Amino acid sequence: MVVAAELSGHVHFLDLVTGSPAHPSGKHPGFFTRAMAQGTVGGRPVVLTGGSASDGQRGCVQMWDPETGLPIGEPMVHDDEVRAVAVTTLHGLTVAVTRTYGGHLGIWDLTTRRLLRHRSTGLLSIRGALALTEIADRRVLVFGTQGGFDTDPDGRRTMISGFRVDLVDLASLEHLDRLWVNSEVLSVTAAEQFLVVGCMCGTLALRCGDTLAP
């Protein structure tokens, strides 16, 4: 099965064998869907959609059962729009790691759908670049961020500056390091000892060090 989400929030469940819908389409609770992830909770596959919430002001993550095409429980509500989501395990729990437009990181228990840990980075997240890797025996979140807007002498906004890749410890959400790049980060993934970063200007391969000091 393929699960696909439109920017408009419509979620489609497609049968790969027949090429036809396996279930009626669902709808993410908000106006927009910005991110998706998949995982397993309690031995059953789940799909997560992240984006805006129904009030248009906040954000949320909705969990779905791909076997029925139905949402699972109430959405996990965030203070602003969710731009990235990933599923992993932490201390024996299956969790969702989320990042919002305003730079908030959250870890959610997918069994109870409760927030376990939260941290505000204060860094904008326009794109949904988020990856998990291991560096120096620490599980690390890697994501693209950017600073605020530059302003001209008249106080008018000009362009966003300060593009970079940030590294955060998964367990504590402690900020570990940052890598400056010269254009907006579109995507990031981990490949063995490298971080592969897709930027507006091209692709960078960054070698991870053997040590990582907080």
Side-chain angles (χ1 to χ4, degrees), residues 9-25:
H10 293 92
V11 183
H12 306 285
F13 303 87
L14 307 175
D15 188 321
L16 279 177
V17 176
T18 65
S20 301
H23 312 295
S25 297

PDB file of all heavy atoms in Angstrom, residues 9-25:
ATOM      1  N   GLY A   9      -4.290  18.582   2.559  1.00  0.00           N
ATOM      2  CA  GLY A   9      -4.655  17.791   3.719  1.00  0.00           C
ATOM      3  C   GLY A   9      -5.361  16.483   3.416  1.00  0.00           C
ATOM      4  O   GLY A   9      -5.592  15.682   4.321  1.00  0.00           O
ATOM      5  N   HIS A  10      -5.708  16.227   2.172  1.00  0.00           N
ATOM      6  CA  HIS A  10      -6.369  14.975   1.817  1.00  0.00           C
ATOM      7  C   HIS A  10      -5.358  13.827   1.827  1.00  0.00           C
ATOM      8  O   HIS A  10      -4.243  13.953   1.302  1.00  0.00           O
ATOM      9  CB  HIS A  10      -7.027  15.084   0.452  1.00  0.00           C
ATOM     10  CG  HIS A  10      -8.178  16.040   0.423  1.00  0.00           C
ATOM     11  ND1 HIS A  10      -8.026  17.369   0.086  1.00  0.00           N
ATOM     12  CD2 HIS A  10      -9.494  15.866   0.728  1.00  0.00           C
ATOM     13  CE1 HIS A  10      -9.202  17.975   0.160  1.00  0.00           C
ATOM     14  NE2 HIS A  10     -10.103  17.097   0.553  1.00  0.00           N
ATOM     15  N   VAL A  11      -5.741  12.718   2.445  1.00  0.00           N
ATOM     16  CA  VAL A  11      -4.864  11.553   2.613  1.00  0.00           C
ATOM     17  C   VAL A  11      -5.454  10.391   1.817  1.00  0.00           C
ATOM     18  O   VAL A  11      -6.638  10.041   2.000  1.00  0.00           O
ATOM     19  CB  VAL A  11      -4.732  11.171   4.097  1.00  0.00           C
ATOM     20  CG1 VAL A  11      -3.771  10.005   4.261  1.00  0.00           C
ATOM     21  CG2 VAL A  11      -4.266  12.376   4.919  1.00  0.00           C
ATOM     22  N   HIS A  12      -4.638   9.794   0.959  1.00  0.00           N
ATOM     23  CA  HIS A  12      -5.103   8.736   0.061  1.00  0.00           C
ATOM     24  C   HIS A  12      -4.385   7.429   0.372  1.00  0.00           C
ATOM     25  O   HIS A  12      -3.181   7.413   0.620  1.00  0.00           O
ATOM     26  CB  HIS A  12      -4.856   9.133  -1.392  1.00  0.00           C
ATOM     27  CG  HIS A  12      -5.425  10.458  -1.767  1.00  0.00           C
ATOM     28  ND1 HIS A  12      -6.766  10.681  -1.969  1.00  0.00           N
ATOM     29  CD2 HIS A  12      -4.809  11.670  -1.946  1.00  0.00           C
ATOM     30  CE1 HIS A  12      -6.978  11.955  -2.280  1.00  0.00           C
ATOM     31  NE2 HIS A  12      -5.797  12.567  -2.268  1.00  0.00           N
ATOM     32  N   PHE A  13      -5.146   6.331   0.319  1.00  0.00           N
ATOM     33  CA  PHE A  13      -4.632   4.996   0.589  1.00  0.00           C
ATOM     34  C   PHE A  13      -4.786   4.179  -0.696  1.00  0.00           C
ATOM     35  O   PHE A  13      -5.909   3.855  -1.107  1.00  0.00           O
ATOM     36  CB  PHE A  13      -5.408   4.352   1.743  1.00  0.00           C
ATOM     37  CG  PHE A  13      -5.375   5.165   3.008  1.00  0.00           C
ATOM     38  CD1 PHE A  13      -6.316   6.168   3.225  1.00  0.00           C
ATOM     39  CD2 PHE A  13      -4.397   4.942   3.970  1.00  0.00           C
ATOM     40  CE1 PHE A  13      -6.278   6.930   4.389  1.00  0.00           C
ATOM     41  CE2 PHE A  13      -4.364   5.693   5.127  1.00  0.00           C
ATOM     42  CZ  PHE A  13      -5.304   6.689   5.337  1.00  0.00           C
ATOM     43  N   LEU A  14      -3.660   3.843  -1.338  1.00  0.00           N
ATOM     44  CA  LEU A  14      -3.679   3.234  -2.663  1.00  0.00           C
ATOM     45  C   LEU A  14      -3.151   1.810  -2.616  1.00  0.00           C
ATOM     46  O   LEU A  14      -2.090   1.549  -2.036  1.00  0.00           O
ATOM     47  CB  LEU A  14      -2.846   4.076  -3.630  1.00  0.00           C
ATOM     48  CG  LEU A  14      -3.207   5.565  -3.700  1.00  0.00           C
ATOM     49  CD1 LEU A  14      -2.228   6.299  -4.610  1.00  0.00           C
ATOM     50  CD2 LEU A  14      -4.634   5.749  -4.179  1.00  0.00           C
ATOM     51  N   ASP A  15      -3.873   0.892  -3.240  1.00  0.00           N
ATOM     52  CA  ASP A  15      -3.485  -0.508  -3.339  1.00  0.00           C
ATOM     53  C   ASP A  15      -2.467  -0.645  -4.469  1.00  0.00           C
ATOM     54  O   ASP A  15      -2.766  -0.341  -5.628  1.00  0.00           O
ATOM     55  CB  ASP A  15      -4.717  -1.370  -3.617  1.00  0.00           C
ATOM     56  CG  ASP A  15      -4.420  -2.852  -3.541  1.00  0.00           C
ATOM     57  OD1 ASP A  15      -3.344  -3.277  -3.993  1.00  0.00           O
ATOM     58  OD2 ASP A  15      -5.277  -3.605  -3.032  1.00  0.00           O
ATOM     59  N   LEU A  16      -1.253  -1.113  -4.154  1.00  0.00           N
ATOM     60  CA  LEU A  16      -0.201  -1.223  -5.162  1.00  0.00           C
ATOM     61  C   LEU A  16      -0.503  -2.297  -6.204  1.00  0.00           C
ATOM     62  O   LEU A  16      -0.028  -2.221  -7.336  1.00  0.00           O
ATOM     63  CB  LEU A  16       1.138  -1.514  -4.496  1.00  0.00           C
ATOM     64  CG  LEU A  16       1.895  -0.324  -3.907  1.00  0.00           C
ATOM     65  CD1 LEU A  16       3.164  -0.793  -3.217  1.00  0.00           C
ATOM     66  CD2 LEU A  16       2.237   0.688  -4.984  1.00  0.00           C
ATOM     67  N   VAL A  17      -1.260  -3.313  -5.832  1.00  0.00           N
ATOM     68  CA  VAL A  17      -1.550  -4.405  -6.761  1.00  0.00           C
ATOM     69  C   VAL A  17      -2.552  -3.960  -7.821  1.00  0.00           C
ATOM     70  O   VAL A  17      -2.371  -4.179  -9.022  1.00  0.00           O
ATOM     71  CB  VAL A  17      -2.076  -5.634  -6.003  1.00  0.00           C
ATOM     72  CG1 VAL A  17      -2.478  -6.742  -6.985  1.00  0.00           C
ATOM     73  CG2 VAL A  17      -1.023  -6.146  -5.023  1.00  0.00           C
ATOM     74  N   THR A  18      -3.624  -3.327  -7.385  1.00  0.00           N
ATOM     75  CA  THR A  18      -4.689  -2.939  -8.306  1.00  0.00           C
ATOM     76  C   THR A  18      -4.536  -1.511  -8.830  1.00  0.00           C
ATOM     77  O   THR A  18      -5.127  -1.161  -9.855  1.00  0.00           O
ATOM     78  CB  THR A  18      -6.056  -3.062  -7.619  1.00  0.00           C
ATOM     79  OG1 THR A  18      -6.116  -2.113  -6.532  1.00  0.00           O
ATOM     80  CG2 THR A  18      -6.254  -4.468  -7.061  1.00  0.00           C
ATOM     81  N   GLY A  19      -3.760  -0.704  -8.113  1.00  0.00           N
ATOM     82  CA  GLY A  19      -3.643   0.698  -8.497  1.00  0.00           C
ATOM     83  C   GLY A  19      -4.866   1.518  -8.151  1.00  0.00           C
ATOM     84  O   GLY A  19      -4.998   2.661  -8.590  1.00  0.00           O
ATOM     85  N   SER A  20      -5.744   0.950  -7.354  1.00  0.00           N
ATOM     86  CA  SER A  20      -6.996   1.614  -6.995  1.00  0.00           C
ATOM     87  C   SER A  20      -6.977   2.010  -5.523  1.00  0.00           C
ATOM     88  O   SER A  20      -6.187   1.472  -4.733  1.00  0.00           O
ATOM     89  CB  SER A  20      -8.191   0.688  -7.253  1.00  0.00           C
ATOM     90  OG  SER A  20      -8.236   0.303  -8.607  1.00  0.00           O
ATOM     91  N   PRO A  21      -7.842   2.927  -5.126  1.00  0.00           N
ATOM     92  CA  PRO A  21      -7.930   3.269  -3.703  1.00  0.00           C
ATOM     93  C   PRO A  21      -8.292   2.056  -2.854  1.00  0.00           C
ATOM     94  O   PRO A  21      -9.223   1.312  -3.182  1.00  0.00           O
ATOM     95  CB  PRO A  21      -9.029   4.335  -3.656  1.00  0.00           C
ATOM     96  CG  PRO A  21      -9.052   4.915  -5.034  1.00  0.00           C
ATOM     97  CD  PRO A  21      -8.723   3.783  -5.952  1.00  0.00           C
ATOM     98  N   ALA A  22      -7.552   1.844  -1.761  1.00  0.00           N
ATOM     99  CA  ALA A  22      -7.866   0.752  -0.842  1.00  0.00           C
ATOM    100  C   ALA A  22      -8.951   1.157   0.146  1.00  0.00           C
ATOM    101  O   ALA A  22      -9.687   0.309   0.648  1.00  0.00           O
ATOM    102  CB  ALA A  22      -6.599   0.322  -0.092  1.00  0.00           C
ATOM    103  N   HIS A  23      -9.024   2.462   0.441  1.00  0.00           N
ATOM    104  CA  HIS A  23     -10.025   3.002   1.360  1.00  0.00           C
ATOM    105  C   HIS A  23     -10.455   4.369   0.851  1.00  0.00           C
ATOM    106  O   HIS A  23      -9.749   4.991   0.053  1.00  0.00           O
ATOM    107  CB  HIS A  23      -9.443   3.170   2.778  1.00  0.00           C
ATOM    108  CG  HIS A  23      -8.709   1.981   3.295  1.00  0.00           C
ATOM    109  ND1 HIS A  23      -9.324   0.770   3.541  1.00  0.00           N
ATOM    110  CD2 HIS A  23      -7.391   1.811   3.612  1.00  0.00           C
ATOM    111  CE1 HIS A  23      -8.425  -0.092   3.985  1.00  0.00           C
ATOM    112  NE2 HIS A  23      -7.251   0.510   4.037  1.00  0.00           N
ATOM    113  N   PRO A  24     -11.575   4.863   1.319  1.00  0.00           N
ATOM    114  CA  PRO A  24     -11.923   6.256   1.011  1.00  0.00           C
ATOM    115  C   PRO A  24     -10.854   7.209   1.549  1.00  0.00           C
ATOM    116  O   PRO A  24     -10.220   6.935   2.565  1.00  0.00           O
ATOM    117  CB  PRO A  24     -13.263   6.450   1.741  1.00  0.00           C
ATOM    118  CG  PRO A  24     -13.811   5.069   1.905  1.00  0.00           C
ATOM    119  CD  PRO A  24     -12.626   4.178   2.078  1.00  0.00           C
ATOM    120  N   SER A  25     -10.663   8.305   0.864  1.00  0.00           N
ATOM    121  CA  SER A  25      -9.655   9.280   1.292  1.00  0.00           C
ATOM    122  C   SER A  25     -10.032   9.886   2.634  1.00  0.00           C
ATOM    123  O   SER A  25     -11.213  10.084   2.941  1.00  0.00           O
ATOM    124  CB  SER A  25      -9.508  10.385   0.249  1.00  0.00           C
ATOM    125  OG  SER A  25      -9.038   9.858  -0.972  1.00  0.00           O
TER     126      SER A  25
END
